[in-house]
């Protein structure tokens, strides 16, 4: 039965991380997969998360199945965190949320919903987008096309080209947007640009599908949700894929949520039942541990404040390091102006160096970034920054 199977190439992100782990170079530096690292190179558990988990372990008395849609506290609080309490209240039963195994699970469940809603759905994704959007959404049966987004010349959003692309998308199609901290480029829309994008989506009856994997890593929990909230206010139908991997640091717990807003409460009830049915045929229900931790944390005012303070520290540290990289590179060479690095948002940005230099950094110095030149800003540290600056400057000026 399996004789004809070929070994597939490794995933461009997880596979590179694996190669890094196996590299014997004692000085290697990992800027590949999007995982936050502190000054010691560790990925610590947020103190508030640890406390919530401990409280959960102390109080949990059964491992019987939890509700299929997920921990009710998680569902309530994650919806409020994403959309804000007022919007959640005003949407009422037009909004439904289901807990999912991470942001990938949320993307996939919404993809399953779209396939059930219409056999020929096209989803438009930014060029470029997160590498896993393609396999994840296409394998559900969706057609993917790209809209213009990023300019390699300006190292920022090419907004005129984006607007032109969006204006050419046929009515009824779905547009996948990164809620904040665009992965892989770190180039985000400004609030006025979001307003224009939502105008186009609303006018052209396009359905926003918003991937929110880094809320709190850009400007703030509220600012990072601006586009999402505007879409939910102004478009009758919105899909959201949310991940808690990064902002709660619960990567391996696989915690996320698929949110659906439709024009009426009965359509939303139908959509939710479709997501639950898709979950049942794929994996039955989401693992509960991560969602229960996040639900418990967000139910407690003191743990929520503690978590917000920790999240702010993470964000400030990333911003310091991002600035350090931009300044350091500009001081060390004059071939490329890396000022744009300081402007990027969230965990990632493109370095915009030749691909051959990416490979040299890896083979000569054990510095791992994706071939697209994406670096994980959260993999920089006070210790490795001077080394990275020195090596990058060396390689690009050869
Ligand atoms: C990344 O882009 O590195 C992260 O979102 C991790 C992943 O699953 O790809």
């Amino acid at each position: 039965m399996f004789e004809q199977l070929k070994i597939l190439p490794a995933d461009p992100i997880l596979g590179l991380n694996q190669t890094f782990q196996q590299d014997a170079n004692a000085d290697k530096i990992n800027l590949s997969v999007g995982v936050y690292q502190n000054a010691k190179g560790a990925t610590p558990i947020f103190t508030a998360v640890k406390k919530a988990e401990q409280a959960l372990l102390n109080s949990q008395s059964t491992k019987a199945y939890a509700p299929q849609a997920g921990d009710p506290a998680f569902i309530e609080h994650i919806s409020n965190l994403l959309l804000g309490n007022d919007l959640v209240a005003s949407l009422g039963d037009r909004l439904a949320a289901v807990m999912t195994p991470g942001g990938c699970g949320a993307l996939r469940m919404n993809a399953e919903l779209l396939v059930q809603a219409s056999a020929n759905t096209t989803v438009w994704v930014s060029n470029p987008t997160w590498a896993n959007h393609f396999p994840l959404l296409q394998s559900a049966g969706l057609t993917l096309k790209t809209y213009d987004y990023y300019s390699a010349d300006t190292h920022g959003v090419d907004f005129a080209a984006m607007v032109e692309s969006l204006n050419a998308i046929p009515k009824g199609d779905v547009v996948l947007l990164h809620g904040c901290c665009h992965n892989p480029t770190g180039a985000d829309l400004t609030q006025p640009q979001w307003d224009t994008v939502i105008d186009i989506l609303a006018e052209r009856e396009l359905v926003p599908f918003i991937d929110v994997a880094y809320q709190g890593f850009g400007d703030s929990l509220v600012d990072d949700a601006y586009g999402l909230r505007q879409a939910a206010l102004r478009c009758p139908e919105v899909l959201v894929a949310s991940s808690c991997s990064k902002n709660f640091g619960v990567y391996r717990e696989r915690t996320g949520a698929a949110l659906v807003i439709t024009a009426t409460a009965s359509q939303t009830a139908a959509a939710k039942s479709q997501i639950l049915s898709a979950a049942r045929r794929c994996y039955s229900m989401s693992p509960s541990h991560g969602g229960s931790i996040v639900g418990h944390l967000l139910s407690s005012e003191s743990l929520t404040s503690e978590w917000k303070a920790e999240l702010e520290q993470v964000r400030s540290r990333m911003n310091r390091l991002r600035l350090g990289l931009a300044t350091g590179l500009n001081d060390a060479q004059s071939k490329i102006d890396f000022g744009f690095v300081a402007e990027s948002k969230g965990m990632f940005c493109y370095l915009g160096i030749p691909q051959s230099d990416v490979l040299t950094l890896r083979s000569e110095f054990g510095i791992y970034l994706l071939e697209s030149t994406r670096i994980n800003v959260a993999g920089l540290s006070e210790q490795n920054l001077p080394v990275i600056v020195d090596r990058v400057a060396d390689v690009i000026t050869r």
Side-chain angles (χ1 to χ4, degrees), residues 13-14 32-34 130 183 214 246 348 374:
I13 298 174
L14 301 181
S32 64
V33 70
W130 180 46
N183 180 5
Y214 303 93
K246 317 287 163 44
F348 305 112
R374 187 193 86 169

Side-chain angles (χ1 to χ4, degrees), residues 159 163 166-167 177 191-206 208 226-227 230-231 234-236:
F159 193 61
V163 164
L166 293 180
N167 273 318
L177 295 149
Q191 293 192 355
Q193 287 174 336
W194 268 113
D195 293 340
T196 304
V197 167
I198 307 296
D199 283 344
I200 297 171
L201 301 185
E203 265 165 42
R204 299 186 58 75
E205 297 178 30
L206 302 171
Y226 179 82
Q230 288 303 311
R234 300 189 38 217
C235 299

